[in-house]
Amino acid sequence: MAFENIFKAIDNTLRHDEGCSTALDYVEQSSWVLFLKYFDDLEQTREMSAMLMGENYSRIISEEFRWNVWAMPLGDDGKYDISKALTGDDLIEFVNNRLFPYLQGFKALYEPDTIEFKVGVIFSEIKNKISSGYNLRDVVEKVAELKFQTAEDQHEMTQIYENRLKQMGNAGRNGGEYYTPRPLIRTIVRVIDPQIGGTVYDGACGSAGFLCEAYNYMHEHVKSTSDEEVLQTSTFYGKELKGLAYIIAIMNMILHGVQCPNIVKTNTLTENLANVQARDQHDYVLANPPFGGSERAEVQQNFPIQSSETAYMFLQHFIKHLKPGGKAGIVIKNTFLSNTDNASIALRKKLLTECNLHTVLDLPAGVFLGAGVKTVVLFFHKGEPTSRVWYYQLDKHFTRTRPMTEADLADFVAMMPNKAESENSWSIDVSNLDDNFDLSVKNPNKVEVVDNRTPQEIANEIVTLNAESQQLLDEILQLL
């Protein structure tokens, strides 16, 4: 709760700053300050560990740019000395003209697979928008209250940070591209069950929600320092086109514990699938690619099945980037299952013949707030054709005040291993499909309730209910 209150106070400060006008600005601007505080704590921990081992540790950040020099200077007693702290125009001048250029320089000085390079990338992509040095001083002092020393601290902080990403996702059309509900992501990760030693890939990673949750899941199974080294350096791979989402993804992964994320800023769809080699493939693909967008004709040429729908291009990309025997959990619009255009039919055929589409999770419309569309999750293995598809229909209603929880998906998780049949689940035989390979969600186990009342009967009931409501209201008014 302490973390949540601090972030609320930070947002309140930024609301009064001329340079910040939206929830996206609040998340972006508090993120770079938060990142520098976290990074300083990380360096302190590394330095202390080296001392205990009798080793030397050279800090990455030069002394004048360290947190306890420019942000929270210390006095002789080791406590924050406000008299030494930059504020007002002096603070803005230091941050914009000295701190940011210094950190941006890391991009040219270090190799791409280092955390120093990632720091350079972050501060090359982001700008300080906080216009008032007094507001920035207030934000810095609030962030300074956050502690990251214990696992409990880090867990609480990452939970609150995820809530802030959700806030950003609900801030508008652009922000919505960054957020997928975490209960859904955790369930998909749990079903896919990624193992240490395999690689996890998301070519449309947004704020890296899938990669962060995969790390959390796999980290619980770490048994040695070599396991941790594998998770840190050679397990998680992502691609993201948009600048803000890209830097949020890097910071999000670092805040979750992955110190050097393998995330590349690129348009994933510009890669020609004909050039994909075995070394480019991964054991696990976890993704919620953007849908409803379009790409130029020359980009569409990169795909065997040409379509202007970005989700269709991404699905082909993911199938190609999955190793034989690899496992995938991918969110896509439910219309993919039934559209009758040539691209949809060809892509369904490709999926069913090259992969084992063993499970389709049908989600209600309220899962993605504001999106206004229904989605499904496709679970498949690559390397063998599909013979049967098991469907599970999540028959629940979600709203802003009643969002999805993991408990809502518990029945699906419990039933999936045995592909059990129930009122909400059933299987189909692929050999019975028509030439369109129609995979529409058609629940044969749920009896539809048919309203046989005539329009006149319905109208009479409405009149009766209105009369009863008026009578009840009159009785209440008499009591008052």
Side-chain angles (χ1 to χ4, degrees):
M1 186 59 70
F3 282 71
E4 185 175 0
N5 291 336
I6 290 171
F7 279 121
K8 285 181 178 178
I10 290 172
D11 286 351
N12 188 55
T13 295
L14 295 178
R15 285 190 188 96
H16 296 88
D17 192 273
E18 292 182 1
C20 302
S21 56
T22 68
L24 275 73
D25 290 334
Y26 307 155
V27 173
E28 178 189 51
Q29 295 303 300
S30 60
S31 289
W32 73 256
V33 181
L34 172 67
F35 176 79
L36 289 178
K37 170 63 166 63
Y38 176 86
F39 195 75
D40 187 76
D41 282 5
L42 177 65
E43 290 234 85
Q44 288 187 48
T45 301
R46 288 177 170 180
E47 189 173 53
M48 188 173 298
S49 297
M51 288 175 60
L52 293 174
M53 298 293 292
E55 301 172 351
N56 293 324
Y57 176 77
S58 297
R59 286 210 184 191
I60 295 169
I61 305 293
S62 298
E63 185 171 358
E64 65 178 304
F65 298 106
R66 292 176 191 168
W67 181 262
N68 283 336
V69 174
W70 73 269
M72 298 293 289
L74 304 180
D76 295 336
D77 58 358
K79 296 181 180 179
Y80 173 44
D81 187 348
I82 193 171
S83 66
K84 295 181 180 180
L86 294 171
T87 191
D89 292 341
D90 291 338
L91 180 56
I92 294 298
E93 192 279 334
F94 174 82
V95 167
N96 291 347
N97 299 329
R98 296 181 62 197
L99 178 64
F100 269 62
Y102 166 73
L103 296 173
Q104 290 164 4
F106 284 15
K107 190 175 177 181
L109 294 174
Y110 296 96
E111 295 297 319
D113 60 349
T114 62
I115 191 170
E116 293 91 338
F117 181 85
K118 301 300 182 185
V119 171
V121 167
I122 290 171
F123 287 91
S124 295
E125 294 287 340
I126 203 169
K127 291 181 174 61
N128 170 45
K129 293 181 180 178
I130 305 173
S131 60
S132 165
Y134 298 101
N135 286 337
L136 179 54
R137 168 55 50 194
D138 190 47
V139 170
V140 165
E141 291 178 355
K142 287 182 171 66
V143 168
E145 299 177 38
L146 301 172
K147 306 299 180 185
F148 310 109
Q149 276 76 18
T150 68
E152 290 76 13
D153 288 341
Q154 291 186 11
H155 177 72
E156 181 181 356
M157 194 279 300
T158 54
Q159 291 295 105
I160 298 300
Y161 193 69
E162 290 295 346
N163 288 336
R164 289 177 67 73
L165 294 181
K166 179 179 180 180
Q167 175 191 21
M168 183 175 77
N170 292 334
R173 189 171 180 179
N174 293 331
E177 296 169 356
Y178 305 136
Y179 187 79
T180 303
R182 288 317 183 257
L184 177 61
I185 290 179
R186 294 187 191 108
T187 297
I188 293 172
V189 170
R190 183 177 174 185
V191 168
I192 294 299
D193 188 29
Q195 300 295 303
I196 296 173
T199 57
V200 181
Y201 175 65
D202 183 352
C205 69
S207 61
F210 276 102
L211 299 178
C212 288
E213 291 300 336
Y215 171 76
N216 289 342
Y217 180 87
M218 297 170 80
H219 190 261
E220 293 180 359
H221 300 90
V222 167
K223 296 180 181 178
S224 64
T225 55
S226 62
D227 284 350
E228 182 63 33
E229 178 70 15
V230 167
L231 291 186
Q232 288 290 335
T233 61
S234 56
T235 297
F236 305 102
Y237 297 85
K239 295 175 184 174
E240 174 56 41
L241 171 62
K242 301 203 172 176
L244 177 56
Y246 171 62
I247 59 171
I248 292 293
I250 292 177
M251 288 191 283
N252 197 18
M253 291 205 72
I254 291 174
L255 292 173
H256 274 79
V258 181
Q259 295 175 11
C260 188
N262 297 305
I263 299 178
V264 178
K265 185 174 184 290
T266 185
N267 183 350
T268 303
L269 301 180
T270 58
E271 177 184 10
N272 193 320
L273 292 193
N275 298 329
V276 176
Q277 306 295 316
R279 63 175 181 272
D280 303 315
Q281 295 179 318
H282 299 275
D283 299 279
Y284 310 101
V285 172
L286 304 165
N288 177 15
F291 45 77
S294 61
E295 285 286 353
R296 304 181 307 275
E298 62 266 29
V299 174
Q300 297 177 34
Q301 297 294 323
N302 293 325
F303 300 88
I305 301 171
Q306 294 184 21
S307 169
S308 61
E309 169 60 62
T310 54
Y312 288 11
M313 288 183 264
F314 270 110
L315 184 54
Q316 293 178 73
H317 175 90
F318 292 139
I319 292 172
K320 186 70 173 183
H321 279 76
L322 196 61
K323 289 181 180 179
K327 301 161 68 175
I330 296 173
V331 182
I332 197 168
K333 257 197 316 190
N334 74 339
T335 51
F336 163 70
L337 300 177
S338 58
N339 282 346
T340 56
D341 60 283
N342 291 336
S344 297
I345 295 170
L347 188 51
R348 288 196 296 270
K349 180 179 180 181
K350 178 182 180 67
L351 180 62
L352 292 172
T353 55
E354 296 183 14
C355 304
N356 178 10
L357 176 64
H358 54 82
T359 300
V360 173
L361 170 61
D362 181 50
L363 300 171
V367 171
F368 294 91
L369 298 176
V373 297
K374 286 196 64 178
T375 55
V376 293
V377 185
L378 308 177
F379 293 95
F380 56 88
H381 300 168
K382 183 177 176 180
E384 61 182 41
T386 306
S387 58
R388 292 183 67 79
V389 182
W390 182 70
Y391 290 78
Y392 185 96
Q393 190 171 46
L394 187 62
D395 189 15
K396 293 179 181 288
H397 181 63
F398 301 115
T399 64
R400 291 186 185 276
T401 57
R402 169 53 174 103
M404 172 188 282
T405 67
E406 286 182 75
D408 293 314
L409 293 158
D411 185 59
F412 162 71
V413 173
M415 296 182 68
M416 184 184 166
N418 296 322
K419 306 292 190 293
E421 292 229 354
S422 70
E423 183 182 10
N424 295 315
S425 61
W426 66 99
S427 295
I428 65 167
D429 193 322
V430 170
S431 63
N432 295 329
L433 294 178
D434 58 23
D435 292 340
N436 286 342
F437 299 94
D438 189 336
L439 294 169
S440 300
V441 177
K442 299 172 184 176
N443 189 345
N445 300 330
K446 185 168 290 184
V447 178
E448 295 290 338
V449 178
V450 179
D451 191 343
N452 293 316
R453 293 175 298 171
T454 66
Q456 184 61 53
E457 288 173 333
I458 294 174
N460 291 340
E461 287 192 27
I462 292 174
V463 171
T464 301
L465 288 171
N466 285 340
E468 292 175 351
S469 298
Q470 185 61 51
Q471 181 181 355
L472 181 59
L473 180 60
D474 291 341
E475 292 175 358
I476 292 173
L477 291 173
Q478 288 178 1
L479 291 173
L480 297 176

